[in-house]
Amino acid sequence: MDGNYLGIEIGGTKIQLLVVDTRYTVLERVMFFVGDTKEASLIQKALRNNLSNLLLKHDIMAIGVGFGGPIDYRTGTIYRSFHVQGWNGFNLKDWLTTLTDIPVFVDNDGNIAALGEAVLGAGMGSKRVFYITLGSGAGGGFIVDGEIYHGKEPGEFEVGHLRLSKSGSTMESSVSGWALNKKLNAYIEKKPGSPLALLTKESKTDASKNLMLAIDKEDVGAKSILNATIDDLAWGLSHVVHIVNPEIIILGGGLSNLGEYLPTMLSEKLPNYLMDTLKGQLPMVKLSQLKEDAVPLGAAVYAAQQMK
């Protein structure tokens, strides 16, 4: 089919719109940030303006959307947003269809990113792909034979809410980007002379962005925090392996910027929590290839799949 696809990411931090052709080459990109005032109405206004401009310039066959929260992929109704007020109960599919008069297909952003990585990224060639994003939250998606696995509504593979203990500790509260930053900031306050503290003060950026450099400078405390976080991640992902045993686990989100140390250490720690028969055939563990484009590119793939 001639024409292009529009992939949209609606998250708690940023909004992205990518226009791609049928080979998923990016033709145009728009990105803006949610900011401190996290209101759905403001995001809708910005989306409306940007959509008008893009539709004037491009012939769009279908629109795919990855939304940051549980959403009914069939009806398009948002169950809940954990980060932005005003989305709960909103029918995103109907709103976008009315606005554009173009077919619209929506799903959870974890599912959509998993699809993008399976079709275009690190999971290419694998039949069973599990993706986890480690950013402002922690979400997941599972792809079987190139298609999103869906459970019963209102969602599936909400790994961020997987309990790590009966006391209420979850994957999101332990291994997400903000959770790691919280631990590192507490460490900096306790150890103001540590390499991590000095690097963070000098760069005026988040502590996690200085973490690997601090470890290179032999910051033992910072390394211990990271390794403990990866150990928690291995414990949580062991449940995923025991239940669905994917061929590959793909790590996305802000923490994937830590580089190869993350999948290397995770691969070392994961067998500690697996039954013996699974230890000999471990899933591959890779970093996201699509990185920041995983959701919008995945959304374009999703739209294209639904139009066939």
Side-chain angles (χ1 to χ4, degrees), residues 14 54 63 188-189 225 228 290:
K14 70 179 184 302
L54 290 175
I63 298 172
I188 287 172
E189 187 174 343
I225 291 170
L290 303 183

Side-chain angles (χ1 to χ4, degrees), residues 45-213:
K45 181 179 179 180
L47 278 172
R48 187 184 297 111
N49 293 336
N50 282 291
L51 281 168
S52 296
N53 293 332
L54 290 175
L55 293 177
L56 286 173
K57 293 187 283 183
H58 302 280
D59 178 23
I60 306 295
M61 290 189 294
I63 298 172
V65 185
F67 181 82
I71 184 169
D72 189 326
Y73 71 97
R74 299 172 306 171
T75 67
T77 300
I78 297 168
Y79 287 105
R80 183 176 180 185
S81 170
F82 297 101
H83 305 289
V84 179
Q85 296 180 349
W87 282 124
N88 296 2
F90 185 82
N91 193 303
L92 183 60
K93 181 175 181 176
D94 284 354
W95 180 74
L96 285 170
T97 302
T98 301
L99 196 64
T100 64
D101 197 29
I102 293 172
V104 176
F105 306 96
V106 302
D107 210 320
N108 170 264
D109 61 349
N111 288 341
I112 291 293
L115 180 64
E117 287 290 346
V119 175
L120 302 174
M124 288 179 64
S126 297
K127 291 181 175 294
R128 293 165 181 81
V129 177
F130 182 77
Y131 171 89
I132 181 169
T133 180
L134 303 164
S136 54
F142 185 49
I143 306 301
V144 181
D145 296 328
E147 295 188 356
I148 296 171
Y149 170 85
H150 285 114
K152 184 181 179 296
E153 299 75 23
E156 58 285 312
F157 284 102
E158 292 284 356
V159 292
H161 301 275
L162 186 67
R163 296 290 180 109
L164 298 180
S165 71
K166 288 184 178 180
S167 63
S169 174
T170 64
M171 288 274 277
E172 187 164 285
S173 68
S174 181
V175 304
S176 64
W178 67 262
L180 178 59
N181 254 331
K182 183 178 179 181
K183 297 174 194 175
L184 295 176
N185 288 335
Y187 171 69
I188 287 172
E189 187 174 343
K190 186 177 179 180
K191 299 285 186 179
S194 65
L196 179 63
L198 297 175
L199 287 166
T200 302
K201 182 178 180 181
E202 180 182 352
S203 65
K204 297 180 181 178
T205 57
D206 289 341
S208 60
K209 293 181 179 179
N210 302 294
L211 180 53
M212 296 313 300
L213 184 54

Side-chain angles (χ1 to χ4, degrees), residues 262-274:
L262 181 59
T264 299
M265 290 302 298
L266 181 59
S267 295
E268 288 184 14
K269 292 176 178 295
L270 187 57
N272 296 334
Y273 304 113
L274 295 178

